[in-house]
Amino acid sequence: MGLKWLFSSIIQQPLSKEVILIAFISSNRIFYRYYDNGTFDIITTTEVISILSKQFEFECFCGDICSLFKTSNYLVSPLNTPHKFLDKQYFLTNQQESIRLDIISKIEKTNESQVGLFFGLTGGPGTGKTLALYDLAFNTNSDDLVCIIHCGKLSLGHDYLKGTTPNINILPAKGIHNKNLSKYKYIFVDECHRIYIHQFEYIIDTVRKNHLICILSYDENQVLSRTEKKNEIVDRIRAIEGLNEYKLTNKIRTNKEIASFVQKLFYLNYKDRNTDNILNYPSISIVYANNTLEAEHFIAAYRNRGYVFINFTKSLYNKSPFDGFEEDFDTHHVIGQEFDLVAMLIDNTFYYDENDMLQSNVHPNPDYLYNQLLFQGLTRVREKLVIIVLDNMNFFEKLIKCISK
């Protein structure tokens, strides 16, 4: 059973290559071959030799097989790779699958007289809340109308998904209180911790009055403004009578190296027994720019290498120190998305206090929180991150010292 599980796990990975799996059991000196349909066959030594000899006739991969299992190859994002999501080129973790089945079971047991059915999906960055939510939304009965509400600015991924399934509509939270939601059987709300109170109350009231099914995803640590903190939407969600809350705990989209770095960036003395054995950070680059021109050169250079430059969301009315840098996305436009390669800029806006905790100046829009905007950008990274430090030598030296062992 252990061998079958190992083989099936490997064969499910989207390597875009033909995979031949052979095991040798030393106790009985027998070769086994595993097939896509989950069956085994005993094969002879002669057959094994024949298979191995043929690898030189084709373009076979002869390097370290671990290098083929990149995060971006098998962690599909509904918003960044919507075509793969629609083709079901993704898998759910055991925890996601268990939650999915439990929610479906509770939905099937509901009755028409029930005054709304509420589910909550919570968890930190990288736990797969958005994938779990969209998987449920796109696998409902095709006769039922479904509404997905995104509490942020819609991305190109949202636009791509919109017209693909007739019974599913995707809407921004902005103006949602003016929409007729009663026609939907299912209402899914992504990034619900960012919604305004009047929008939230309208959704909840509509679900209750029309006996609908509502599934919300949220993370109380991902708020971006003082208003979002003040609204305490997560507390309001947890106060919903009859709420079924599920917490995703396994981080599937954040490798340990980047997760460790982000924690250390915000608190230089951060210790974690699970990540403290990281001796270096090969996926992290920290470069120093003496002036704006050098910073622009770095941004251009990394952009040419495939990096996405995430800039801090600007104020509509007041000047920001980051206004002069042309971004690929700002921090409000990457909500719910992920990127393999990310570059971010840090200048004298950020500093460490006497306790080595990261602090920041007040944003030109006093409602926005620079630390939270930075956290939003950093948690969008799947593979590699570059931090460009602009004219802030004290910050640069502390960060380099912190991650260099």
Side-chain angles (χ1 to χ4, degrees):
M1 181 61 71
L3 188 62
K4 182 175 181 179
W5 177 86
L6 173 64
F7 276 175
S8 61
S9 297
I10 294 174
I11 205 86
Q12 287 174 12
Q13 307 304 325
L15 300 178
S16 301
K17 295 177 181 292
E18 180 186 4
V19 179
I20 299 175
L21 296 172
I22 298 172
F24 177 70
I25 308 301
S26 59
S27 59
N28 57 14
R29 303 184 66 80
I30 294 176
F31 285 100
Y32 294 88
R33 179 171 177 178
Y34 180 83
Y35 296 92
D36 290 0
N37 61 5
T39 61
F40 286 96
D41 265 348
I42 295 175
I43 60 173
T44 66
T45 303
T46 302
E47 288 175 300
V48 173
I49 294 172
S50 174
I51 291 170
L52 292 175
S53 64
K54 289 180 180 178
Q55 67 177 312
F56 300 106
E57 300 175 18
F58 307 99
E59 294 183 6
C60 292
F61 179 80
C62 299
D64 180 6
I65 192 171
C66 292
S67 66
L68 297 177
F69 295 94
K70 291 179 61 180
T71 305
S72 57
N73 286 344
Y74 57 91
L75 294 180
V76 171
S77 163
L79 305 184
N80 292 95
T81 50
H83 56 289
K84 289 185 177 181
F85 171 76
L86 291 174
D87 289 341
K88 298 189 183 297
Q89 295 181 35
Y90 64 91
F91 67 91
L92 301 179
T93 64
N94 290 338
Q95 186 185 35
Q96 287 173 318
E97 184 63 30
S98 175
I99 291 172
R100 178 181 186 272
L101 292 175
D102 196 62
I103 289 175
I104 291 172
S105 174
K106 284 184 168 64
I107 290 173
E108 289 175 346
K109 292 176 182 177
T110 191
N111 55 68
E112 294 296 327
S113 63
Q114 193 161 348
V115 186
L117 190 59
F118 295 92
F119 299 93
L121 286 174
T122 187
T127 52
K129 298 184 297 299
T130 296
L131 177 61
L133 186 85
Y134 275 72
D135 173 75
L136 281 164
F138 276 78
N139 287 284
T140 57
N141 189 319
S142 60
D143 294 329
D144 297 321
L145 292 180
V146 175
C147 178
I148 301 175
I149 300 170
H150 179 70
C151 302
K153 299 175 182 178
L154 296 189
S155 66
L156 292 176
H158 289 114
D159 293 337
Y160 185 98
L161 293 172
K162 267 185 182 180
T164 57
T165 309
N167 67 314
I168 297 177
N169 194 11
I170 300 177
L171 300 170
K174 185 177 181 180
I176 199 66
H177 56 287
N178 294 319
K179 303 287 185 182
N180 176 21
L181 299 181
S182 62
K183 62 182 178 180
Y184 300 101
K185 179 176 180 179
Y186 295 91
I187 296 178
F188 294 81
V189 187
D190 198 16
E191 305 285 335
C192 193
H193 50 272
R194 303 197 61 247
I195 202 168
Y196 289 117
I197 293 174
H198 69 281
Q199 297 167 338
F200 174 77
E201 290 179 343
Y202 172 70
I203 293 171
I204 302 306
D205 288 345
T206 301
V207 171
R208 283 176 173 154
K209 290 176 181 177
N210 297 279
H211 312 281
L212 309 180
I213 297 166
C214 182
I215 303 175
L216 314 113
S217 80
Y218 46 92
D219 176 7
E220 57 193 324
N221 295 317
Q222 285 275 18
V223 295
L224 302 180
S225 69
R226 300 178 196 278
T227 298
E228 290 172 7
K229 278 192 171 185
K230 180 182 176 182
N231 288 342
E232 297 180 329
I233 291 297
V234 173
D235 289 342
R236 294 174 185 271
I237 294 172
R238 289 177 174 150
I240 296 173
E241 185 177 352
L243 175 74
N244 301 277
E245 186 180 52
Y246 302 88
K247 185 172 183 179
L248 288 160
T249 56
N250 299 324
K251 292 196 173 186
I252 61 172
R253 295 186 181 279
T254 306
N255 64 52
K256 289 184 178 180
E257 178 192 341
I258 292 177
S260 170
F261 172 78
V262 171
Q263 295 282 6
K264 286 181 181 292
L265 187 149
F266 279 86
Y267 176 45
L268 293 176
N269 296 320
Y270 174 79
K271 300 290 183 183
D272 184 348
R273 60 186 178 86
N274 295 318
T275 59
D276 202 45
N277 60 347
I278 297 175
L279 298 179
N280 54 51
Y281 291 80
S283 298
I284 309 294
S285 297
I286 304 174
V287 297
Y288 192 79
N290 291 288
N291 52 55
T292 299
L293 184 60
E294 286 186 8
E296 289 173 344
H297 284 319
F298 275 126
I299 293 170
Y302 278 100
R303 187 179 276 131
N304 287 338
R305 292 165 60 181
Y307 280 73
V308 171
F309 174 54
I310 299 177
N311 201 0
F312 298 97
T313 305
K314 300 164 186 173
S315 169
L316 293 176
Y317 307 105
N318 301 315
K319 188 175 180 180
S320 159
F322 302 98
D323 284 354
F325 299 96
E326 184 180 353
E327 68 267 7
D328 296 304
F329 300 96
D330 66 35
T331 41
H332 275 71
H333 277 91
V334 297
I335 294 169
Q337 299 191 64
E338 296 127 8
F339 306 92
D340 293 344
L341 311 173
V342 170
M344 292 198 75
L345 183 69
I346 290 177
D347 68 357
N348 286 300
T349 299
F350 295 89
Y351 59 93
Y352 288 106
D353 63 18
E354 64 276 7
N355 298 315
D356 287 330
M357 296 286 294
L358 185 69
Q359 303 294 339
S360 60
N361 297 333
V362 176
H363 194 284
N365 177 342
D367 193 39
Y368 291 164
L369 301 167
Y370 265 126
N371 274 20
Q372 293 299 113
L373 298 178
L374 177 63
F375 186 69
Q376 176 69 213
L378 295 175
T379 53
R380 302 304 96 199
V381 187
R382 290 198 292 198
E383 294 291 341
K384 292 186 178 182
L385 168 70
V386 59
I387 298 290
I388 302 166
V389 181
L390 170 59
D391 193 24
N392 191 344
M393 183 56 73
N394 184 55
F395 181 95
F396 178 76
E397 289 176 344
K398 283 193 172 187
L399 195 56
I400 288 291
K401 183 178 179 181
C402 172
I403 67 170
S404 300
K405 295 187 179 181

